[in-house]
Amino acid sequence: MANLKLKDVAKVYGGQVEVLKDIDLDIETGELIVFVGPSGCGKSTLLRMIAGLEQISGGTLEIDGMVVNDVPPSERGIAMVFQSYALYPHMTVYDNMAFALQIAKKSKEEIDRAVRAAADKLQLTEYLDRLPKALSGGQRQRVAIGRSIVRDPKVYLFDEPLSNLDAALRVATRIEIAQLKEQMPDSTMIYVTHDQVEAMTLASRIVVLDALKDNGYKYSIAQVGTPLELYETPNSEFVARFIGSPAMNLLEGEIVATGETTTLRTRLGAGTITSNVPSRPEDQGAQVKVGIRPEDAVATDSEDFAFSGKVEVEERLGEVTLLYFERGAGQNDPVIAKLPGIHPGMRGNTVKLTADPAKVHIFQDGTSLLYR
Ligand SMILES: Nc1ncnc2c1ncn2[C@@H]1O[C@H](COP(=O)(O)OP(=O)(O)O)[C@@H](O)[C@H]1O
Ligand SMILES: [Mg+2]
């Protein structure tokens, strides 16, 4: 059981390369926090600072109310599971899991109890006598997790643990991690992934890292929230585009009526669209981006539509159909609509789209109107 408090944490490599800045984050006991962000934004760096494998350049890290900046890794009660699960190839599953406890000179009985309990949690009991080479990738990763469980750490850190596994195994192992977490409600976990679905399904809260506006190479926290908070009320265009797949469509628009709800006109529509996001009288005429998720786009026959375009590509996935529209000259990213069910023969058709006011987001200078 442990809570963590990061205050103003910063990382500067080699005295010059600023990577992370102003990291403020409270993690409660039993949470499963997921860090997401672009490659190179400092996710591994942040985990390594928490583990004590990397010096903290500024700010403080507290575990259970105690500042641990200068506490060595072995005394922090933290276990880290990496993407590459380096198991000892000549040792059985049992011995791989027992190794750290043997080094720590625990009694045979204690070791046996810990290894068998971990194997039971991870469904590895029948594989205890096998060598790693006789296991699947997913089973090997479970042994790697087992090695940390036997030490009974207060905090588990996972750095993209599933990214070496193929798609089917990723799904299976992801579900196992979710079940494992349920069996260990008091364990605090921090999990780094670039996989959307892992983040959405595993996290109690997601932390999105983004480049600070003043400098493209320093990163900080863009938003922290439950998966659905980030999905439903992203605070910025960045978070809006980062969470959800395909990414949220952003249409150039103008506010034409303000108040409790906001009426907008988009450049690619003939009519208007209303958002439940409130706006102020002085917003009249403001140039904004109108955000509509592909799954919230609705085809309409009305003359009041936010977007109209020709279907360039149609992807039929069975449960949904993805329609891709070109926006016009000089604009690369297509507008995408995700319609439930099968819609054959839409390619080449002109389709008009709108959305439920409750699902229409508004961004000004990159920031959601809800958060200014
Ligand atoms: N030991 C190091 N020395 C200097 N720069 C480093 C070192 N480790 C990582 N970096 C840099 O810090 C940034 C963040 O790296 P990392 O934490 O690995 O990102 P992520 O895990 O989000 O992909 C990158 O620009 C990387 O090149
Ligand atoms: Mg990394």
Short mmCIF file of all heavy atoms in Angstrom, two decimals, residues 235-277:
data_model
loop_
_atom_site.label_atom_id
_atom_site.label_comp_id
_atom_site.label_asym_id
_atom_site.label_seq_id
_atom_site.Cartn_x
_atom_site.Cartn_y
_atom_site.Cartn_z
N ASN A 235 -9.28 18.63 -22.41
CA ASN A 235 -9.09 20.07 -22.15
C ASN A 235 -8.44 20.80 -23.32
O ASN A 235 -8.33 22.02 -23.31
CB ASN A 235 -8.29 20.29 -20.86
CG ASN A 235 -6.85 19.78 -20.95
OD1 ASN A 235 -6.39 19.36 -22.01
ND2 ASN A 235 -6.15 19.82 -19.84
N SER A 236 -7.96 20.04 -24.31
CA SER A 236 -7.22 20.67 -25.39
C SER A 236 -7.36 19.85 -26.67
O SER A 236 -7.73 18.67 -26.62
CB SER A 236 -5.74 20.76 -25.01
OG SER A 236 -5.26 19.45 -24.74
N GLU A 237 -7.01 20.49 -27.78
CA GLU A 237 -7.00 19.75 -29.05
C GLU A 237 -6.06 18.56 -28.96
O GLU A 237 -6.34 17.50 -29.51
CB GLU A 237 -6.51 20.65 -30.18
CG GLU A 237 -7.54 21.61 -30.69
CD GLU A 237 -6.96 22.49 -31.80
OE1 GLU A 237 -6.03 22.07 -32.51
OE2 GLU A 237 -7.45 23.62 -31.95
N PHE A 238 -4.92 18.76 -28.27
CA PHE A 238 -3.94 17.69 -28.19
C PHE A 238 -4.53 16.44 -27.53
O PHE A 238 -4.45 15.34 -28.07
CB PHE A 238 -2.69 18.15 -27.43
CG PHE A 238 -1.67 17.06 -27.31
CD1 PHE A 238 -0.81 16.78 -28.36
CD2 PHE A 238 -1.58 16.28 -26.16
CE1 PHE A 238 0.11 15.74 -28.27
CE2 PHE A 238 -0.66 15.25 -26.06
CZ PHE A 238 0.19 14.98 -27.12
N VAL A 239 -5.14 16.63 -26.37
CA VAL A 239 -5.72 15.48 -25.65
C VAL A 239 -6.88 14.91 -26.46
O VAL A 239 -7.05 13.69 -26.56
CB VAL A 239 -6.15 15.89 -24.23
CG1 VAL A 239 -6.88 14.74 -23.53
CG2 VAL A 239 -4.94 16.31 -23.41
N ALA A 240 -7.67 15.80 -27.06
CA ALA A 240 -8.82 15.35 -27.85
C ALA A 240 -8.37 14.43 -28.98
O ALA A 240 -9.00 13.41 -29.26
CB ALA A 240 -9.56 16.55 -28.43
N ARG A 241 -7.25 14.77 -29.62
CA ARG A 241 -6.77 13.97 -30.75
C ARG A 241 -6.01 12.73 -30.28
O ARG A 241 -5.88 11.76 -31.01
CB ARG A 241 -5.84 14.80 -31.65
CG ARG A 241 -6.52 16.01 -32.27
CD ARG A 241 -7.06 15.78 -33.64
NE ARG A 241 -6.10 15.28 -34.60
CZ ARG A 241 -6.45 14.78 -35.78
NH1 ARG A 241 -7.73 14.71 -36.12
NH2 ARG A 241 -5.54 14.36 -36.62
N PHE A 242 -5.48 12.80 -29.05
CA PHE A 242 -4.67 11.69 -28.55
C PHE A 242 -5.52 10.53 -28.06
O PHE A 242 -5.14 9.37 -28.18
CB PHE A 242 -3.75 12.19 -27.42
CG PHE A 242 -2.51 11.38 -27.28
CD1 PHE A 242 -1.40 11.66 -28.06
CD2 PHE A 242 -2.45 10.31 -26.40
CE1 PHE A 242 -0.25 10.90 -27.97
CE2 PHE A 242 -1.30 9.54 -26.31
CZ PHE A 242 -0.20 9.84 -27.09
N ILE A 243 -6.66 10.85 -27.47
CA ILE A 243 -7.54 9.82 -26.90
C ILE A 243 -8.68 9.59 -27.89
O ILE A 243 -9.35 10.53 -28.27
CB ILE A 243 -8.12 10.28 -25.54
CG1 ILE A 243 -7.01 10.61 -24.53
CG2 ILE A 243 -9.11 9.26 -24.98
CD1 ILE A 243 -6.26 9.43 -23.98
N GLY A 244 -8.89 8.34 -28.27
CA GLY A 244 -9.96 8.02 -29.22
C GLY A 244 -9.36 7.68 -30.57
O GLY A 244 -8.38 8.28 -31.00
N SER A 245 -9.97 6.69 -31.23
CA SER A 245 -9.42 6.24 -32.49
C SER A 245 -10.55 5.78 -33.42
O SER A 245 -11.40 5.02 -32.99
CB SER A 245 -8.46 5.08 -32.26
OG SER A 245 -8.00 4.57 -33.46
N PRO A 246 -10.60 6.27 -34.69
CA PRO A 246 -9.74 7.32 -35.24
C PRO A 246 -9.88 8.62 -34.45
O PRO A 246 -10.86 8.81 -33.72
CB PRO A 246 -10.27 7.51 -36.66
CG PRO A 246 -11.13 6.32 -36.95
CD PRO A 246 -11.61 5.81 -35.65
N ALA A 247 -8.91 9.52 -34.62
CA ALA A 247 -8.88 10.74 -33.83
C ALA A 247 -10.07 11.65 -34.13
O ALA A 247 -10.67 11.59 -35.20
CB ALA A 247 -7.57 11.48 -34.09
N MET A 248 -10.37 12.51 -33.14
CA MET A 248 -11.45 13.49 -33.30
C MET A 248 -11.24 14.37 -34.54
O MET A 248 -10.13 14.82 -34.80
CB MET A 248 -11.52 14.37 -32.04
CG MET A 248 -12.66 15.37 -32.06
SD MET A 248 -12.58 16.54 -30.67
CE MET A 248 -13.07 15.52 -29.30
N ASN A 249 -12.30 14.61 -35.30
CA ASN A 249 -12.24 15.56 -36.42
C ASN A 249 -12.26 16.98 -35.86
O ASN A 249 -13.03 17.27 -34.94
CB ASN A 249 -13.47 15.41 -37.32
CG ASN A 249 -13.58 14.03 -37.93
OD1 ASN A 249 -12.69 13.60 -38.66
ND2 ASN A 249 -14.66 13.32 -37.62
N LEU A 250 -11.44 17.84 -36.42
CA LEU A 250 -11.47 19.26 -36.05
C LEU A 250 -11.80 20.06 -37.29
O LEU A 250 -11.10 19.99 -38.30
CB LEU A 250 -10.11 19.67 -35.48
CG LEU A 250 -9.71 19.01 -34.15
CD1 LEU A 250 -8.28 19.38 -33.77
CD2 LEU A 250 -10.66 19.41 -33.02
N LEU A 251 -12.91 20.80 -37.22
CA LEU A 251 -13.35 21.60 -38.36
C LEU A 251 -13.20 23.07 -38.03
O LEU A 251 -13.49 23.49 -36.91
CB LEU A 251 -14.84 21.31 -38.66
CG LEU A 251 -15.23 19.84 -38.85
CD1 LEU A 251 -16.75 19.71 -38.94
CD2 LEU A 251 -14.58 19.26 -40.09
N GLU A 252 -12.71 23.84 -39.00
CA GLU A 252 -12.62 25.30 -38.81
C GLU A 252 -14.02 25.85 -38.66
O GLU A 252 -14.91 25.52 -39.46
CB GLU A 252 -12.00 25.95 -40.05
CG GLU A 252 -10.66 25.40 -40.44
CD GLU A 252 -9.53 26.07 -39.70
OE1 GLU A 252 -9.79 27.14 -39.12
OE2 GLU A 252 -8.43 25.51 -39.70
N GLY A 253 -14.22 26.70 -37.65
CA GLY A 253 -15.56 27.22 -37.46
C GLY A 253 -15.57 28.60 -36.84
O GLY A 253 -14.53 29.13 -36.46
N GLU A 254 -16.79 29.14 -36.75
CA GLU A 254 -16.97 30.48 -36.20
C GLU A 254 -18.17 30.43 -35.28
O GLU A 254 -19.18 29.78 -35.59
CB GLU A 254 -17.21 31.44 -37.36
CG GLU A 254 -17.41 32.87 -36.93
CD GLU A 254 -17.77 33.77 -38.11
OE1 GLU A 254 -17.47 33.40 -39.27
OE2 GLU A 254 -18.38 34.82 -37.87
N ILE A 255 -18.05 31.12 -34.15
CA ILE A 255 -19.18 31.17 -33.22
C ILE A 255 -20.18 32.21 -33.72
O ILE A 255 -19.82 33.36 -33.92
CB ILE A 255 -18.71 31.49 -31.79
CG1 ILE A 255 -17.85 30.33 -31.27
CG2 ILE A 255 -19.89 31.77 -30.87
CD1 ILE A 255 -17.29 30.52 -29.87
N VAL A 256 -21.41 31.78 -33.95
CA VAL A 256 -22.40 32.72 -34.49
C VAL A 256 -23.47 33.10 -33.46
O VAL A 256 -24.15 34.10 -33.63
CB VAL A 256 -23.06 32.21 -35.79
CG1 VAL A 256 -22.04 32.16 -36.91
CG2 VAL A 256 -23.72 30.86 -35.61
N ALA A 257 -23.62 32.33 -32.40
CA ALA A 257 -24.54 32.72 -31.33
C ALA A 257 -24.02 32.16 -30.02
O ALA A 257 -23.65 30.98 -29.94
CB ALA A 257 -25.94 32.22 -31.61
N THR A 258 -23.97 33.00 -28.97
CA THR A 258 -23.39 32.58 -27.70
C THR A 258 -24.47 32.38 -26.65
O THR A 258 -25.63 32.76 -26.85
CB THR A 258 -22.40 33.65 -27.20
OG1 THR A 258 -23.14 34.86 -27.00
CG2 THR A 258 -21.27 33.88 -28.18
N GLY A 259 -24.07 31.80 -25.54
CA GLY A 259 -25.01 31.59 -24.44
C GLY A 259 -24.78 30.26 -23.77
O GLY A 259 -23.69 29.71 -23.81
N GLU A 260 -25.84 29.76 -23.15
CA GLU A 260 -25.77 28.46 -22.46
C GLU A 260 -25.32 27.35 -23.42
O GLU A 260 -24.63 26.43 -23.05
CB GLU A 260 -27.14 28.10 -21.89
CG GLU A 260 -27.46 28.76 -20.58
CD GLU A 260 -26.45 28.40 -19.51
OE1 GLU A 260 -26.35 27.21 -19.18
OE2 GLU A 260 -25.73 29.31 -19.04
N THR A 261 -25.80 27.47 -24.65
CA THR A 261 -25.28 26.59 -25.70
C THR A 261 -24.66 27.53 -26.75
O THR A 261 -24.92 28.74 -26.73
CB THR A 261 -26.38 25.75 -26.35
OG1 THR A 261 -27.31 26.64 -26.94
CG2 THR A 261 -27.07 24.86 -25.34
N THR A 262 -23.86 26.95 -27.60
CA THR A 262 -23.14 27.77 -28.57
C THR A 262 -23.49 27.30 -29.97
O THR A 262 -23.42 26.11 -30.25
CB THR A 262 -21.63 27.64 -28.35
OG1 THR A 262 -21.34 28.02 -27.01
CG2 THR A 262 -20.85 28.53 -29.30
N THR A 263 -23.85 28.24 -30.82
CA THR A 263 -24.13 27.87 -32.21
C THR A 263 -22.92 28.25 -33.06
O THR A 263 -22.36 29.33 -32.90
CB THR A 263 -25.39 28.57 -32.72
OG1 THR A 263 -26.44 28.29 -31.81
CG2 THR A 263 -25.78 28.07 -34.11
N LEU A 264 -22.54 27.32 -33.90
CA LEU A 264 -21.34 27.51 -34.71
C LEU A 264 -21.66 27.32 -36.17
O LEU A 264 -22.58 26.59 -36.52
CB LEU A 264 -20.28 26.45 -34.31
CG LEU A 264 -19.94 26.36 -32.84
CD1 LEU A 264 -20.08 24.94 -32.35
CD2 LEU A 264 -18.55 26.87 -32.60
N ARG A 265 -20.86 27.99 -37.00
CA ARG A 265 -20.93 27.69 -38.42
C ARG A 265 -19.55 27.18 -38.81
O ARG A 265 -18.54 27.74 -38.42
CB ARG A 265 -21.30 28.93 -39.23
CG ARG A 265 -21.44 28.65 -40.72
CD ARG A 265 -22.07 29.80 -41.50
NE ARG A 265 -23.47 29.98 -41.14
CZ ARG A 265 -23.95 31.07 -40.55
NH1 ARG A 265 -23.16 32.07 -40.23
NH2 ARG A 265 -25.23 31.15 -40.27
N THR A 266 -19.51 26.10 -39.55
CA THR A 266 -18.22 25.58 -39.99
C THR A 266 -17.98 26.00 -41.43
O THR A 266 -18.92 26.31 -42.15
CB THR A 266 -18.18 24.03 -39.90
OG1 THR A 266 -19.16 23.52 -40.78
CG2 THR A 266 -18.45 23.57 -38.49
N ARG A 267 -16.70 25.99 -41.83
CA ARG A 267 -16.38 26.39 -43.21
C ARG A 267 -16.84 25.34 -44.22
O ARG A 267 -16.96 25.62 -45.39
CB ARG A 267 -14.88 26.51 -43.38
CG ARG A 267 -14.32 27.65 -42.64
CD ARG A 267 -13.16 28.29 -43.35
NE ARG A 267 -12.34 28.98 -42.36
CZ ARG A 267 -12.82 29.90 -41.55
NH1 ARG A 267 -14.08 30.28 -41.62
NH2 ARG A 267 -12.04 30.46 -40.66
N LEU A 268 -17.04 24.13 -43.75
CA LEU A 268 -17.33 23.06 -44.69
C LEU A 268 -18.79 22.63 -44.61
O LEU A 268 -19.15 21.55 -45.06
CB LEU A 268 -16.41 21.87 -44.41
CG LEU A 268 -14.92 22.21 -44.63
CD1 LEU A 268 -14.02 21.20 -43.95
CD2 LEU A 268 -14.61 22.27 -46.11
N GLY A 269 -19.61 23.49 -44.04
CA GLY A 269 -21.03 23.17 -43.95
C GLY A 269 -21.87 24.35 -44.40
O GLY A 269 -21.41 25.48 -44.43
N ALA A 270 -23.12 24.05 -44.77
CA ALA A 270 -23.99 25.14 -45.22
C ALA A 270 -24.79 25.68 -44.04
O ALA A 270 -25.18 26.84 -44.03
CB ALA A 270 -24.95 24.62 -46.28
N GLY A 271 -25.02 24.83 -43.06
CA GLY A 271 -25.88 25.24 -41.96
C GLY A 271 -25.08 25.56 -40.72
O GLY A 271 -23.96 26.04 -40.78
N THR A 272 -25.68 25.29 -39.58
CA THR A 272 -25.01 25.53 -38.31
C THR A 272 -25.03 24.24 -37.50
O THR A 272 -25.73 23.28 -37.85
CB THR A 272 -25.75 26.62 -37.50
OG1 THR A 272 -27.10 26.20 -37.36
CG2 THR A 272 -25.68 27.96 -38.20
N ILE A 273 -24.25 24.27 -36.45
CA ILE A 273 -24.26 23.13 -35.53
C ILE A 273 -24.22 23.72 -34.13
O ILE A 273 -23.61 24.77 -33.91
CB ILE A 273 -23.09 22.17 -35.80
CG1 ILE A 273 -23.19 20.93 -34.92
CG2 ILE A 273 -21.73 22.86 -35.62
CD1 ILE A 273 -22.31 19.78 -35.39
N THR A 274 -24.91 23.08 -33.21
CA THR A 274 -24.98 23.60 -31.84
C THR A 274 -24.19 22.71 -30.92
O THR A 274 -24.15 21.49 -31.10
CB THR A 274 -26.46 23.67 -31.39
OG1 THR A 274 -27.15 24.51 -32.31
CG2 THR A 274 -26.59 24.23 -30.00
N SER A 275 -23.52 23.35 -29.97
CA SER A 275 -22.77 22.63 -28.96
C SER A 275 -23.35 22.95 -27.59
O SER A 275 -23.76 24.09 -27.34
CB SER A 275 -21.30 23.06 -28.99
OG SER A 275 -20.64 22.54 -27.86
N ASN A 276 -23.36 21.97 -26.69
CA ASN A 276 -23.81 22.23 -25.32
C ASN A 276 -22.78 22.98 -24.50
O ASN A 276 -23.04 23.34 -23.36
CB ASN A 276 -24.17 20.92 -24.62
CG ASN A 276 -25.51 20.38 -25.09
OD1 ASN A 276 -26.21 21.05 -25.87
ND2 ASN A 276 -25.87 19.20 -24.62
N VAL A 277 -21.58 23.19 -25.07
CA VAL A 277 -20.56 23.97 -24.37
C VAL A 277 -21.01 25.43 -24.34
O VAL A 277 -21.31 26.00 -25.39
CB VAL A 277 -19.21 23.84 -25.09
CG1 VAL A 277 -18.17 24.76 -24.48
CG2 VAL A 277 -18.73 22.39 -25.07
#
